[in-house]
Amino acid sequence: SQQGEEDPQALSIQEGENATMNCSYKTSINNLQWYRQNSGRGLVHLILIRSNEREKHSGRLRVTLDTSKKSSSLLITASRAADTASYFCATVSVSAGNNRKLIWGLGTSLAVNP
Amino acid sequence: EPEVTQTPSHQVTQMGQEVILRCVPISNHLYFYWYRQILGQKVEFLVSFYNNEISEKSEIFDDQFSVERPDGSNFTLKIRSTKLEDSAMYFCASSPEETQYFGPGTRLLVL
C-alpha cells in the first residue's frame, strides 16, 4: 500500500519565503516522522509527531497532524538556501507493535533560491 | 553526538557475488533496521531487528538476504547472490524507542 504521499512533488521558492509540504497516509498511525535528505546523502530526522498530538515546533519547523484527514504538513519558515533538499514523511502504523517499521512517501523536492 | 555509521560508502560488485554491508548503530539503542532506496523511488523497509532476532521482514527480504549482529556492536546485511535490481542505496537505522536515526548509507551498484 502507498503510505505517506507528499505533495507537492517539487517546490521552488525564494530565500526568506515559507515552504509548506503536505503528506497523506492511509492506515491508522502511531506516529509520523519527517526526514530530510540532501542529494544522494543520508536521511536526517527532523521531527516526530504522535497520533495524539496536533502540532509540534522545532526551530523554524512546524508540523501539524490531522488524524481525521490522515494528513500532516511541514512548514519551514524563513527558508534558506541550505534548506534545499528532499523532505519525506514516514509513518509507523498502529499495528506495528514492536516492529515500528517506517513506511515512506516519495518526498517533496524543495529548492530554495538565493 | 553519537551517529550511526555505515561502511563501505560505495560498493561495486558483479552480479551473483556476495556483499556484506556493515553498520554500527548508536550504542544503547535497542531497535535496528535496514532500508533501501532505489534511485528515484521511495525508501523501502527491508528488515527490523530487536532482541537479537528479526522482528519483521518485508517481501523484498527473501532468502538471499540475511542480517547479523555478530559482536554486539556491528549490524550487518548480507546479500548472498546479488542481482542487478539490488542496486540501490542501503540505509541502516537504529532507535532507542520511536525516533529512528539513520546512517549515511551504502551505495551498492551491481553490474
Side-chain angles (χ1 to χ4, degrees), chain B residues 6 14 25 30 38 42 45 47 49 55 61 63-64 66 68 74-75 79 97 100:
Chain B
Q6 288 185 244
Q14 295 290 324
L30 302 175
I38 295 171
K42 293 184 182 188
F45 166 77
V47 65
F49 196 84
S55 48
F61 195 89
D63 292 345
Q64 294 301 312
S66 62
E68 271 191 341
N74 291 289
F75 181 49
I79 310 174
E97 191 70 29
Q100 294 185 25

Side-chain angles (χ1 to χ4, degrees), chain B residues 10 17 29 31 34 36-37 39 46 49 68 70 75 77 89 99 101 107 109:
Chain B
H10 294 79
Q17 295 294 305
H29 282 191
Y31 302 87
W34 283 100
R36 78 173 186 190
Q37 185 181 32
L39 191 63
L46 292 178
F49 196 84
E68 271 191 341
F75 181 49
L77 174 70
M89 184 78 114
T99 300
Y101 297 90
R107 186 173 295 283
L109 179 59

Side-chain angles (χ1 to χ4, degrees), chain A residues 7-63:
Chain A
D7 79 87
Q9 290 188 355
L11 181 61
S12 181
I13 59 174
Q14 295 300 120
E15 217 167 14
E17 292 180 340
N18 295 343
T20 299
M21 289 159 270
N22 303 298
C23 165
S24 61
Y25 56 91
K26 294 190 186 324
T27 65
S28 295
I29 61 169
N30 185 300
N31 67 67
L32 184 147
Q33 305 181 35
W34 283 92
Y35 285 81
R36 165 200 167 115
Q37 183 181 38
N38 285 55
S39 179
R41 308 284 287 278
L43 295 153
V44 176
H45 182 263
L46 295 176
I47 200 162
L48 179 153
I49 187 164
R50 295 187 180 85
S51 60
N52 62 352
E53 297 175 311
R54 292 297 165 257
E55 189 171 311
K56 259 187 133 166
H57 297 254
S58 176
R60 293 183 297 113
L61 305 181
R62 174 177 166 251
V63 167

Side-chain angles (χ1 to χ4, degrees), chain A residues 2-5 30-31 33 35 37 40-43 45 48 50 88 98-102 104-106, chain B residues 31 33 35 37 40-45 48 50 55-56 89 91 97-100 102-104 107:
Chain A
Q2 290 188 337
Q3 183 91 324
E5 300 294 327
N30 185 300
N31 67 67
Q33 305 181 35
Y35 285 81
Q37 183 181 38
R41 308 284 287 278
L43 295 153
H45 182 263
L48 179 153
R50 295 187 180 85
F88 297 89
N98 267 334
N99 300 325
R100 308 179 185 194
K101 66 182 181 189
L102 289 170
W104 299 78
L106 267 172
Chain B
Y31 302 87
Y33 307 83
Y35 295 84
Q37 185 181 32
Q41 296 187 23
K42 293 184 182 188
V43 177
E44 300 172 291
F45 166 77
S48 57
Y50 171 71
S55 48
E56 186 175 355
M89 184 78 114
F91 292 106
E97 191 70 29
E98 292 177 303
T99 300
Q100 294 185 25
F102 283 76
R107 186 173 295 283

